Amino acid sequence: MLEVRLLGRPQLSIAGVVVPFRVPAKATSLFAYILLQQSPLPRDAVAFSFWPDLPETEARAKLRSHLHYVVHGGLPSGDVPWILADKRVVQWNPKAPVWVDVAQFERLASDPKTAAEAIDLYRGDLLLGFDDEWLETPRIRLRERAVQLLIDIAQSARDASDLEGAAALALRALEIDPWREEVLRFLIAAQAQSGHRAQAVRTYREFAQKLNDEFAVEPMPETRAAYEAISPGNVPQLPDAPATRVPQSNLPEYVTSFVDRDREIAMVRSALDSRRLVTVTGAGGVGKTRLAIEAARRLNDRFPDGICLVELGALQQDELIVPAIAEAAGVVGQSEESLLQALRHRHMLLILDNCEHLRGVSVVVQRIVTQCAGVCILATSREPLSVTGERIERLSSLPTGIGDYDGPLPSIDELHNSPAVRLFLDRAADVSPELALPISKEDDVRALATISHRLDGIPLAIELAAARTSSLSLDALAERLDDRFSVLSGRSTLPRHQTLRATLDWSYALLAPEDQRVFARLGIFAGGWTVEAAAAVCADILRGRWEMQDRLGSLIDKSLVLRDRSGDRPRYRLLETMRAYALERLEDAGEKSEMARRHARFFGELGREHPSFGIRDSAWFLLLRPELQNMRAALAWSIDKNRDPVTGSYVAESFAWYAYQPSLGAEAIEWCKKILIALGPHAPLERQAAMYLACSACYRFLKEGEHIVDCGRRAVALYRELGDKARTAHAIGVLLEGLRVEGASVEARALADEALSLAREAGDSKPIGRILMMKATLMRAEQQAEREAILHEAVDTFRSVGDTHGVFSALVYLGETAFQAGRNEAALAYAQACIDVIDPASETLSLPSTVVRNNAAAYAIALGKYTEAAESLQSSLWSAYRMGDPVTFGYALQYAAAIALAHRDSPQAARLIGASDGRLKPHPSARDSFTERSSYESINAQLRSDLAADEVESLMKDGRRWTNDEALSQALHSLGQGSAL
C-alpha cells in the first residue's frame, strides 16, 4: 500500500518507510492533481491547466514528459500501473493500492465521532510550499472544512463546560484561517468567561490591528460588540459556535438538452481549480451563458456558501453592478463596502453573466478577488475583463466535422458525429418530429451538411435555424441561408438574442468607430489573413506601423476575430457568419469594390516579389499555402469583366504552386488558362510568357510530360522573342523536366547546355544551380562521378547567390545519389551537411529540415547506427506532426518501424509500417525514390520472415487506425524517447 500525505509538505511512504520522490516540482503537483480527482480527466484540460501560456502542442508535450517523470522517475514499481492514460484522458488507476490523507481526512470529517481524528491528519495547507494555481480552490475548501471541524469540536467542549479546551480549539482554527471573525468572537468570549479577560482584550486588539494593516478596514459590528461585552463591568456571554453552512444556488433549470460541451465544461472546472477568476469569452450566440451554468452546476459541492448567478445583460449603468450582485447574493445593503464585508466571510462561486458592455465590472471584480479570499468568480463576456489573475477560456463554435460544403458529400454517420449537426437535429425534432427519425435521403443529407457548414457551429444560429424547420424543408432552409440574417430570427428574453443579426449588431455597436471600419474591411478576406495583408486594405485608416496589430488584438479580445496559431506565422480569420455580416457593413459603407481591388493587388504584389516562377523554392510555397481561398477570390475578381488580368497573372503564378498538391493541380492550370484568355493577344508578351511557364510548371508537378513540353516551348519562344536571356534560361529549366519524362534526353542535354550559356551571358546566377541539378538527372548511371561533380558545382553556385534552399536541394540529391550507389557513409555525411545548412535558416524551411532528418535516419539505419537514427527521427517525428504533413510523417513512421525491427520488436514494427501506409496511401508516388522504396521493401521482407502473413496484416491494420497523436506516441516509445503516456 502506497501512503501519500498531501496535507502539509508532501510525503510518500510504504509500510512506514519514506519513498524518495525526486521529480520536478511541477511533476509533484501534477501527481497530486491526478491522485485527488475521482474521475478520468481530459488530457487537454490537464495540459492547459498546468501550462496555460504555451501553445497547445507544447502544452501536451509538457504533460507527456511530466507524466513520464511521475511514472518512471517518482513512483515505485508496482504490480499494476499507478496511472492510466490514453489519447483522451488520464487518471489514477482505481486498482492501484493507495492511501491518501486527503481522502481519509474527508471520510473522517463526515462523521462527528471521528472529527478529532480528522483534525489530527490536517498537518497544514494542501501541498504546503507549492504555489501552482490549481491548488488555491481545494486548499480553501479543505481549510474551510478543518476550521469547521474545530468549531464543531469547540462547541462540544463548551457544552461540556471545558472553556479552556474550547478556547484552544478556536485559537487553532484561527491559526488555519485568521480572518474568520465569527471564530474570533467565540474565542474572546471563551477566554473572558474562563477568567482570561486581559488575554481576550489582547486577542481582539491584535486582530483589529492586523485587519487594518492588511485591508484598511474595521472589524465587523458584531465583533466590535463582542469586544465591548468583555469590557469591565460586563459579564461575557459565550455565543453559539458558527453553524455548518448549507450551499445555496439560484441556477436556472433548462428544459432543453445540453449538447457536446463535455470537454469545455471540464476545461472550465479545471480552470476554477487553479484560479479564482475565470472568464469565458466568445462570439455572440456561441453559448457562453449555458456553458458557465452547466459547469457551475457540477461544482456545487465545492462551495459551502453556494453558487450565485448574477445576470448583468439588461443593466445599462455601471452604478447598478454592485446592487445587482448584492441582491442576487442575498446581501443586506446596496453599497460596495457592505457587499465586500459580507462576501469576505463566504466561500462561494459568483457567476457574472454578460459583462462586455459594463466597463465598471472590472473594478468591482478586482476588489472582490483582492478582498474576499473565499469567493471565486466565473464571468461570461465577449472580451476579457483585464483583471489581475484572470484566466481566460475562449469558447469556440461547435465543431461541424465537415469541410467545404461544395466538397464530397459526407455520410450520415459522419454527420451524426458532428456536434453542430446533433444540436440542430435535437432542436429541430422539437418542432418537426419527422426530423427525429434517421435521415437517409441524399438531398436531406446534402442540405444538412450545407446548413451545418454555413452556420459555423454557432449554437444560437443553429437553434434559430432549427426553429424554422416547422415551416421550411431542409432543402429550402439551406437555400435561404444565403440571406441568413433575415431567416434566423426567434424569441428570447434579451432583444439582442432575438435574431442572429441582432446579436452581431450588439457586438458591432460596442466597437470603437475605428474598430468598426477595420472589422468591416476584414470581411474582404476569404480564408484568413496576415497582419501585412490586413494593413494593405486598411492602410488609409492606420496612423502608425503597429496600429494594425493593435486593432486585430482589440477585435480578438471582443471575440469577433479568431487567431490561428497552427502555422509558423500568425494568421487571423472570421467565422463565415461574421464575414457575411462584415461584408454587409462594407457594402453599406460603399467600400466593397475598392477593398476587393486592394485585396487582389496585395496578392498580385506577392507574385511580383519573385520575377519568375522558375527560381522560387518550397519556402515560397509554405508562405503561400494558407492563402488558397484569398488567391481564388483575387483571381475571380481580376478576370471578372477583365478588371485587372495583369494583376491576376501575378496571382496565378503564385497559385501555380498549389499544383504541388495533386488535388489542386487541375485547378491551378485552369486559372492560368483563364488568365491567358483574359489577357488576350495584345497583353504584354512577358505576362503571356509567364502564364505559359506557370502552366508548364503545373504540368511538371503532375508529371504530364507532353503538356510540360508544349507549354514550356511556348514560354521559351516568347522569352526568346523578348530577348530575355535570363528568363529564357528559367523557362528551359522547367522544359527540361518534360523532355526527361518524355525520354527526349538528347534534346534535353543540349538545351541544358544552352540554358547554362544564356544564364551566364545574362549574368544571372540564380537559375544556374537548378539547371545543373536537372543536367545531373539526365546523366546515365555509369556517369556517377561526373554527376557528383556537377552537383558539387550546383552547391557552389547556390552558395554564391545565397540560395540556402538550393544548397539544401543539391546536398539532398548528392546524399540520395551516394546512397543509391551503396556509399552509405558519404550519404550520411551529405545529410549532416544539409542539417548544418538548414538549422540556422528561417522556420519556413522546417519541411526540408524534416525531409533531410528522415534521410539521415535512413542512412544511419543502413549503417547500423540506431542511436543516431533515433535522434534524427525524434526531431523529424515532432516536426512532421506539428506541421500536419502526412508524407514526411509517414516516412518517419516507416524508419521508426525499421528501428523497432532492429530491437527485435516485429509486432510493433508491423503496426508502425501500417501507420506509415495509412499516411502515404493517398500519395501513390510517395515511395518512388530509392531511399524510401528500398527501406520499405526491406522492412516488409523482414516482417514476413518473422511473422505469419495474416498476423502482419492484422497488426498493420491496427497501426492504420492510429490517430496522429497515437502514432507519434508509439513511435517515440519505440525509439526509447518516451512512453505510451
Side-chain angles (χ1 to χ4, degrees):
M1 177 75 72
L2 179 68
E3 296 182 6
V4 183
R5 296 184 183 273
L6 301 175
L7 294 170
R9 296 199 176 275
Q11 178 181 299
L12 275 67
S13 61
I14 294 179
V17 179
V18 173
V19 176
F21 195 70
R22 298 187 181 95
V23 300
K26 201 74 163 180
T28 300
S29 178
L30 176 64
F31 160 70
Y33 184 79
I34 295 170
L35 185 59
L36 291 175
Q37 304 303 314
Q38 300 301 311
S39 58
L41 300 164
R43 288 183 74 113
D44 284 352
V46 178
F48 300 156
S49 292
F50 275 76
W51 296 278
D53 299 325
L54 293 182
E56 294 181 11
T57 303
E58 292 183 32
R60 294 189 192 101
K62 287 280 189 183
L63 174 61
R64 186 180 292 107
S65 64
H66 281 71
L67 282 172
H68 187 82
Y69 285 135
V70 171
V71 173
H72 299 290
L75 292 170
S77 300
D79 294 334
V80 296
W82 299 107
I83 292 176
L84 302 176
D86 58 28
K87 65 179 181 180
R88 292 179 296 274
V89 299
V90 59
Q91 71 174 120
W92 186 266
N93 186 355
K95 296 180 180 180
V98 64
W99 177 92
V100 186
D101 63 346
V102 174
Q104 182 71 357
F105 168 81
E106 295 190 299
R107 279 194 294 270
L108 294 171
S110 64
D111 185 347
K113 295 177 182 179
T114 55
E117 295 178 57
I119 286 298
D120 288 341
L121 287 174
Y122 194 85
R123 300 179 301 127
D125 277 346
L126 179 67
L127 249 62
L128 189 64
F130 289 72
D131 59 0
D132 295 84
E133 294 170 347
W134 74 268
L135 286 165
E136 187 169 2
T137 297
R139 268 181 183 165
I140 291 173
R141 179 175 58 80
L142 291 166
R143 189 185 301 151
E144 176 79 20
R145 192 75 179 101
V147 169
Q148 192 62 54
L149 284 177
L150 286 164
I151 290 170
D152 292 343
I153 300 171
Q155 178 76 40
S156 299
R158 188 203 68 166
D159 293 345
S161 300
D162 181 8
L163 296 176
E164 294 277 359
L169 289 162
L171 186 59
R172 186 176 174 191
L174 281 176
E175 288 172 352
I176 296 172
D177 188 349
W179 307 115
R180 290 287 293 273
E181 292 193 40
E182 69 272 31
V183 180
L184 178 78
R185 294 194 292 271
F186 183 93
L187 172 61
I188 61 177
Q191 289 173 331
Q193 198 173 31
S194 62
H196 302 288
R197 191 184 299 267
Q199 185 181 14
V201 170
R202 187 166 57 253
T203 297
Y204 170 80
R205 290 176 177 173
E206 289 174 351
F207 174 82
Q209 185 63 49
K210 285 195 298 183
L211 193 64
N212 183 66
D213 291 345
E214 291 285 338
F215 303 112
V217 297
E218 297 282 336
M220 296 173 68
E222 298 93 324
T223 308
R224 178 75 185 177
Y227 166 66
E228 291 172 350
I230 63 173
S231 299
N234 291 327
V235 179
Q237 298 295 319
L238 195 62
D240 289 336
T244 301
R245 303 173 187 181
V246 178
Q248 301 294 323
S249 170
N250 67 341
L251 299 181
E253 294 295 334
Y254 288 97
V255 296
T256 57
S257 60
F258 188 62
V259 177
D260 289 298
R261 289 294 199 186
D262 289 344
R263 177 180 178 276
E264 288 82 357
I265 286 178
M267 295 284 283
V268 171
R269 292 180 65 191
S270 177
L272 283 168
D273 277 343
S274 61
R275 297 286 182 96
R276 288 182 45 232
L277 171 59
V278 176
T279 303
V280 179
T281 65
V286 82
K288 300 182 293 294
T289 299
R290 185 72 185 270
L291 176 75
I293 290 172
E294 295 297 335
R297 202 184 303 283
R298 306 180 197 191
L299 293 169
N300 204 46
D301 60 343
R302 293 196 193 179
F303 298 98
D305 291 316
I307 297 172
C308 177
L309 172 64
V310 186
E311 296 176 332
L312 302 177
L315 303 186
Q316 298 300 319
Q317 297 176 321
D318 286 349
E319 292 76 11
L320 299 176
I321 297 170
V322 168
I325 297 174
E327 181 180 356
V331 174
V332 177
Q334 300 285 295
S335 70
E336 183 176 297
E337 183 55 39
S338 62
L339 175 65
L340 294 174
Q341 190 76 272
L343 295 183
R344 193 173 292 131
H345 306 285
R346 295 191 189 182
H347 182 50
M348 67 184 301
L349 175 66
L350 282 178
I351 303 176
L352 304 183
D353 188 36
N354 292 310
C355 300
E356 61 273 352
H357 62 299
L358 297 168
R359 300 302 173 196
V361 169
S362 298
V363 176
V364 176
V365 167
Q366 183 74 72
R367 289 173 182 164
I368 292 175
V369 170
T370 303
Q371 300 186 31
C372 307
V375 177
C376 290
I377 295 176
L378 177 57
T380 73
S381 177
R382 298 187 193 184
E383 59 183 298
L385 302 185
S386 299
V387 172
T388 304
E390 177 182 26
R391 169 69 178 271
I392 299 167
E393 290 292 336
R394 297 192 186 277
L395 183 62
S396 58
S397 303
L398 287 170
T400 64
I402 298 167
D404 291 341
Y405 56 81
D406 58 353
L409 183 66
S411 69
I412 191 61
D413 288 339
E414 289 173 321
L415 282 175
H416 278 289
N417 285 332
S418 158
V421 171
R422 284 201 296 273
L423 177 62
F424 176 83
L425 291 175
D426 181 78
R427 297 296 189 266
D430 292 339
V431 296
S432 302
E434 65 272 13
L435 290 178
L437 301 173
I439 293 175
S440 57
K441 289 173 55 181
E442 183 174 320
D443 287 347
D444 286 343
V445 172
R446 187 178 300 280
L448 197 54
T450 300
I451 292 167
S452 176
H453 179 88
R454 291 186 177 177
L455 295 181
D456 296 309
I458 299 173
L460 174 62
I462 291 169
E463 296 199 13
L464 292 172
R468 297 305 302 269
T469 60
S470 62
S471 57
L472 294 174
S473 67
L474 292 178
D475 270 346
L477 178 59
E479 289 174 4
R480 296 191 186 189
L481 285 180
D482 287 334
D483 188 15
R484 67 188 75 190
F485 298 119
S486 63
V487 172
L488 303 182
S489 61
R491 297 177 181 176
S492 171
T493 55
L494 291 176
R496 68 177 182 276
H497 282 174
Q498 289 174 6
T499 68
L500 186 60
R501 182 190 298 280
T503 195
L504 295 180
D505 283 343
W506 168 268
S507 294
Y508 185 79
L510 293 175
L511 297 177
E514 296 86 354
D515 285 346
Q516 288 180 344
R517 292 189 71 187
V518 169
F519 171 72
R521 291 186 178 192
L522 294 175
I524 206 66
F525 290 100
W529 63 86
T530 62
V531 174
E532 295 79 10
V537 299
C538 297
D540 59 313
I541 57 175
L542 299 178
R543 292 184 293 271
R545 179 181 177 187
W546 304 108
E547 187 176 353
M548 190 69 246
Q549 189 74 66
D550 293 340
R551 293 289 171 210
L552 289 172
S554 175
L555 293 170
I556 290 169
D557 286 343
K558 294 171 176 62
S559 303
L560 290 171
V561 167
L562 302 177
R563 179 171 179 174
D564 182 356
R565 300 174 181 270
S566 60
D568 292 332
R569 304 182 71 210
R571 287 185 63 79
Y572 307 85
R573 67 183 178 90
L574 295 172
L575 293 175
E576 278 304 306
T577 299
M578 296 290 189
R579 182 171 180 248
Y581 182 81
L583 285 172
E584 279 195 5
R585 289 292 184 173
L586 194 62
E587 187 79 64
D588 292 344
E591 292 189 335
K592 187 174 180 180
S593 178
E594 172 60 19
M595 293 309 111
R597 183 187 66 81
R598 292 188 190 182
H599 173 271
R601 292 195 173 175
F602 173 81
F603 289 100
E605 286 301 316
L606 285 184
R608 287 176 187 267
E609 288 179 12
H610 290 269
S612 171
F613 182 94
I615 66 167
R616 295 178 190 157
D617 55 35
S618 63
W620 179 247
F621 170 67
L622 290 174
L623 178 68
L624 292 178
R625 185 165 56 181
E627 305 294 358
L628 174 64
Q629 299 293 349
N630 279 314
M631 287 195 285
R632 281 173 170 159
L635 286 164
W637 177 86
S638 68
I639 61 176
D640 183 25
K641 300 177 183 177
N642 288 326
R643 281 190 175 116
D644 191 349
V646 170
T647 289
S649 70
Y650 288 104
V651 180
E653 280 190 272
S654 298
F655 196 98
W657 274 100
Y658 284 100
Y660 179 78
Q661 303 175 43
S663 61
L664 294 173
E667 182 185 354
I669 292 164
E670 284 303 310
W671 280 120
C672 292
K673 290 178 179 178
K674 287 178 180 178
I675 292 293
L676 273 169
I677 293 170
L679 285 169
H682 304 296
L685 292 182
E686 186 274 331
R687 287 292 83 208
Q688 294 182 54
M691 285 298 91
Y692 280 118
L693 179 58
C695 285
S696 183
C698 290
Y699 287 125
R700 181 183 66 178
F701 283 133
L702 298 178
K703 294 183 170 53
E704 297 185 12
E706 180 182 351
H707 294 298
I708 301 173
V709 172
D710 180 49
C711 294
R713 290 191 193 282
R714 289 173 182 249
V716 170
L718 286 167
Y719 281 130
R720 279 179 172 153
E721 184 178 344
L722 287 165
D724 191 329
K725 295 180 180 180
R727 287 188 172 124
T728 302
H730 286 304
I732 291 174
V734 176
L735 173 60
L736 291 175
E737 175 67 18
L739 293 172
R740 186 184 67 81
V741 172
E742 291 293 285
S745 299
V746 175
E747 181 185 358
R749 283 193 286 269
L751 279 173
D753 290 335
E754 180 190 354
L756 288 171
S757 176
L758 286 170
R760 285 167 177 152
E761 287 178 28
D764 185 1
S765 299
K766 291 180 179 179
I768 291 176
R770 303 201 181 278
I771 297 167
L772 286 168
M773 285 180 62
M774 183 56 64
K775 185 174 180 178
T777 68
L778 296 168
M779 289 182 172
R780 296 181 294 275
E782 61 270 19
Q783 294 177 290
Q784 177 72 19
E786 189 178 352
R787 177 186 294 171
E788 286 201 36
I790 289 176
L791 288 171
H792 278 293
E793 184 183 353
V795 170
D796 294 340
T797 302
F798 286 131
R799 282 188 172 135
S800 71
V801 296
D803 187 344
T804 301
H805 188 267
V807 174
F808 160 81
S809 300
L811 287 170
V812 167
Y813 195 5
L814 276 166
E816 291 285 270
T817 300
F819 188 60
Q820 191 166 359
R823 298 170 52 236
N824 299 337
E825 287 284 3
L828 187 57
Y830 285 130
Q832 186 55 56
C834 281
I835 293 170
D836 294 341
V837 167
I838 290 293
D839 277 351
S842 162
E843 288 186 8
T844 58
L845 294 175
S846 57
L847 180 61
S849 178
T850 307
V851 168
V852 78
R853 288 183 185 278
N854 276 336
N855 286 354
Y859 307 151
I861 290 168
L863 289 164
K865 297 181 177 181
Y866 299 115
T867 300
E868 189 173 340
E871 290 174 356
S872 287
L873 277 180
Q874 183 187 16
S875 176
S876 63
L877 279 163
W878 274 111
S879 180
Y881 168 82
R882 287 169 178 157
M883 287 188 299
D885 184 72
V887 174
T888 51
F889 194 44
Y891 291 158
L893 292 171
Q894 174 176 308
Y895 299 132
I899 291 180
L901 271 181
H903 293 160
R904 302 183 185 279
D905 190 351
S906 299
Q908 180 70 345
R911 295 186 195 96
L912 286 166
I913 204 67
S916 174
D917 280 350
R919 275 80 190 163
L920 298 180
K921 186 178 179 181
H923 307 276
S925 61
R927 288 195 174 105
D928 282 355
S929 71
F930 175 81
T931 300
E932 278 73 38
R933 186 176 66 255
S934 60
S935 168
Y936 184 69
E937 291 170 353
S938 173
I939 292 169
N940 274 280
Q942 184 64 49
L943 285 175
R944 280 159 175 76
S945 172
D946 293 349
L947 304 170
D950 58 345
E951 186 178 2
V952 172
E953 293 304 322
S954 176
L955 290 166
M956 289 178 66
K957 187 175 181 181
D958 288 343
R960 280 192 289 272
R961 284 195 287 259
W962 284 346
T963 64
N964 282 351
D965 284 346
E966 290 170 321
L968 176 68
S969 179
Q970 293 289 340
L972 290 173
H973 184 63
S974 294
L975 300 179
Q977 301 293 337
S979 74
L981 286 173

